[in-house]
């Protein structure tokens, strides 16, 4: 058997250049053929990524074991490296690495179907998720029953595929399914994420009986309000009722507006916008990432807060953060080993409440020194950043380094260097009113703005 050449990044990039620079065929049938072939290519690439992830993880763990790293710390940061390489969040990187390991060791037929294009990465992940409660031998049996024959997947939709694997899992180990349902109740939580047009999605993950009961109660109350003459739609009423009942505000609002809620809000706005300019502002609250809003919305929020009577139970506290003439947020410093509460708030506002790691969308949970204190790092705004818990732990793994980059008048930038030497730069979000500066360097550490 002849030698098989190793796959290189240069070959992959060359092929990407080839297919992106290619001329689309004129024949409609040929166009569909190319679309189908590219879909197969996407699946096959995902399979190769999974296999490489497993190989890289094993190599890193072996190297760290040889270097005397404790077993519990071996492999720390690998998922974050994979996430950076795939331009994903660290959490997503952990999920993808976990999927790769499962496909490699317990679901070889699913991996084979991913490689030949019969399954997408998304569907492979669904199969892995639905069989996670099974012991290894039963999981491998379910994998063989479902994916051993590529023809059995022809024409099968995602919902049908999930239903098929769920029925099989329930037949193989009903007790495991019951245990999984009980465990799922422990994962109940409430999350919030931004939505278009200055809205937000408030999502509750609760047991099905409680969720249905809550929905039915809101709908029944909304229908009663409609019957009494309230002109709001059912959806608007249910939304206002939910906010009113969760926050304890008695009034469910007026037809023109949702109920006011007592809350502390951070508003980052430029002085030009506050005085009548058009640059947008940012609104955030404790633990919630910043959301860009039209300047008129920010000015209305400020006006409503000012108009509240002194004895009102609905009082919105606003904190303003100033910026310099270029748009860079004002810095802070302290001699303390730990970041003060005020500095932590500053770091969160500068980062719009989002972890500073590239591609990570998680909320900030830790205030971190870019240069560790043990290596001479200072507790300043320039040497500080807000990170999520996973990213803060990942950068403590062997071989990770960070340092601030960029010019003094630029937005805050941090370069991360992974153990393999790959470099990734994260730039702080542009604050309201930001404009890109133009400058020339006049000497070491000296810069002059160009009008």
């Amino acid at each position: 058997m002849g030698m098989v050449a190793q796959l290189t990044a240069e070959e992959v990039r060359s092929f990407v250049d080839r297919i992106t620079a290619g001329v689309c065929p004129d024949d409609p049938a040929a166009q569909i053929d190319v679309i189908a072939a590219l879909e197969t290519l996407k699946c096959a690439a995902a399979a190769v990524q999974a296999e490489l992830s497993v190989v890289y993880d094993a190599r890193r763990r072996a190297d760290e074991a040889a270097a005397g790293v404790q077993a519990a710390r071996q492999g720390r940061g690998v998922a974050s490296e994979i996430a950076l390489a795939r331009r994903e969040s660290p959490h997503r990187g952990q999920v993808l690495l976990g999927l790769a390991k499962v496909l490699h060791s317990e679901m070889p037929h699913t991996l084979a179907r991913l490689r030949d294009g019969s399954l997408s990465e998304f569907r492979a992940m669904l199969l892995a998720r639905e069989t996670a409660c099974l012991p290894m031998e039963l999981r491998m049996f379910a994998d063989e029953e479902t994916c051993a024959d590529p023809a059995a997947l022809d024409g099968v939709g995602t919902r049908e595929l999930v239903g098929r694997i769920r029925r099989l899992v329930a037949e193989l180990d009903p007790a495991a399914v019951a245990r999984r349902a009980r465990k799922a109740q422990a994962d109940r939580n409430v999350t919030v994420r931004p939505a278009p047009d200055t809205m937000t999605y408030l999502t509750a993950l609760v047991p099905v009986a409680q969720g249905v009961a809550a929905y039915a109660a809101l709908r029944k109350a909304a229908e009663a309000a409609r019957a009494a003459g309230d002109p709001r739609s059912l959806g608007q009423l249910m939304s206002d009722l939910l906010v009113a009942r969760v926050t304890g505000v008695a009034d469910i609002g007026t037809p023109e507006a949702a109920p006011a809620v007592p809350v502390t809000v951070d508003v980052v706005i430029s002085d030009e916008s506050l005085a009548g300019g058009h640059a947008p502002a940012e609104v955030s609250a404790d633990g919630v990432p910043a959301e860009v809003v039209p300047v008129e919305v920010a000015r209305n929020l400020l006006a409503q807060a000012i108009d509240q009577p002194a004895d009102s139970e609905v009082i919105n506290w606003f904190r303003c953060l100033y910026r310099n003439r270029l748009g860079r947020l004002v810095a802070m410093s302290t001699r303390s080993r730990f970041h003060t509460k005020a500095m932590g708030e500053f770091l969160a506002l500068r980062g719009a409440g989002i972890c500073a790691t590239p591609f990570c969308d998680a909320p900030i949970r830790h205030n971190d020194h870019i240069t560790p204190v043990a290596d001479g790092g200072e507790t300043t705004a320039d040497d500080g950043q807000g990170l999520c818990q996973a990213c803060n732990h990942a950068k403590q793994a062997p071989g990770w380094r960070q340092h601030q980059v960029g010019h003094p008048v630029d937005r805050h930038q941090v370069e991360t260097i992974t153990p393999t030497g790959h470099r990734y730069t994260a730039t702080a979000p542009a604050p309201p009113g930001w404009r890109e500066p133009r400058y020339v360097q006049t000497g070491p550490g000296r810069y002059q703005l160009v009008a």
Side-chain angles (χ1 to χ4, degrees), residues 22-77:
V23 179
C24 295
D26 295 328
D27 179 38
Q31 293 169 359
I32 293 297
D33 288 339
V34 172
I35 292 173
L38 288 172
E39 189 62 30
T40 301
L41 175 63
K42 285 165 54 180
C43 299
V48 176
Q49 284 181 318
E51 293 171 334
L52 287 172
S53 298
V54 172
V55 172
Y56 181 71
D57 177 71
R59 177 62 181 270
R60 278 286 306 278
R61 289 176 181 273
D63 290 346
E64 290 174 1
V69 177
Q70 297 178 2
R73 292 180 173 270
Q74 292 172 13
R76 177 181 288 188

Side-chain angles (χ1 to χ4, degrees), residues 415-429:
E415 184 178 63
T416 299
I417 307 174
T418 63
T420 56
H422 290 82
R423 297 171 180 265
Y424 304 89
T425 300
T427 303

Side-chain angles (χ1 to χ4, degrees), residues 37 76 197 262 271 279 284 316-317 348 378 440:
R76 177 181 288 188
D197 303 323
D271 50 356
S284 63
N316 292 292
W317 294 95
E378 299 179 350
V440 294

Side-chain angles (χ1 to χ4, degrees), residues 55-250:
V55 172
Y56 181 71
D57 177 71
R59 177 62 181 270
R60 278 286 306 278
R61 289 176 181 273
D63 290 346
E64 290 174 1
V69 177
Q70 297 178 2
R73 292 180 173 270
Q74 292 172 13
R76 177 181 288 188
V78 171
S80 294
E81 290 184 72
I82 293 172
L84 287 168
R86 296 192 59 169
R87 300 180 178 89
E88 297 279 8
S89 69
H91 171 73
R92 181 69 175 172
Q94 187 68 56
V95 170
L96 292 170
L97 178 57
L99 173 65
K101 292 180 178 180
V102 167
L103 296 180
H104 178 78
S105 61
E106 301 180 22
M107 303 182 73
H109 296 289
T110 301
L111 180 59
R113 300 293 75 79
L114 182 61
R115 179 182 280 273
D116 66 23
S118 302
L119 283 176
S120 65
E121 185 177 53
F122 174 69
R123 291 187 175 189
M125 187 169 294
L126 291 178
L127 290 175
R129 184 190 68 186
E130 295 299 331
T131 57
C133 61
L134 296 176
M136 180 183 295
E137 60 275 11
L138 291 182
R139 192 179 208 179
M140 297 185 73
F141 177 79
D143 171 60
E144 184 175 2
E145 285 288 300
T146 308
C147 297
D149 182 10
L153 297 173
D154 288 343
V156 177
T158 301
R159 180 174 295 184
E160 180 183 350
L161 180 64
V162 171
R164 183 184 298 181
I165 193 65
R166 283 180 177 174
R167 287 191 295 271
L168 181 58
V169 169
E171 293 173 2
L172 291 174
D173 196 342
V177 176
R179 287 194 300 271
R180 179 173 183 165
R182 289 194 297 270
K183 181 180 181 299
Q185 294 187 18
D187 296 330
R188 60 190 183 277
N189 65 85
V190 177
T191 57
V192 62
R193 66 186 192 278
D197 303 323
T198 69
M199 301 292 282
T200 189
Y201 294 108
L202 178 66
T203 304
L205 179 65
V206 297
V208 61
Q210 297 177 8
V212 171
Y215 180 85
L218 289 172
R219 187 176 182 88
K220 182 178 180 179
E223 289 174 343
R226 287 275 293 173
D230 196 308
R232 282 173 288 184
S233 67
L234 279 176
Q236 290 171 337
L237 280 165
M238 292 173 68
S239 173
D240 294 347
L241 282 164
L242 174 65
V243 174
R245 293 181 177 184
V246 169
T247 59
V249 177

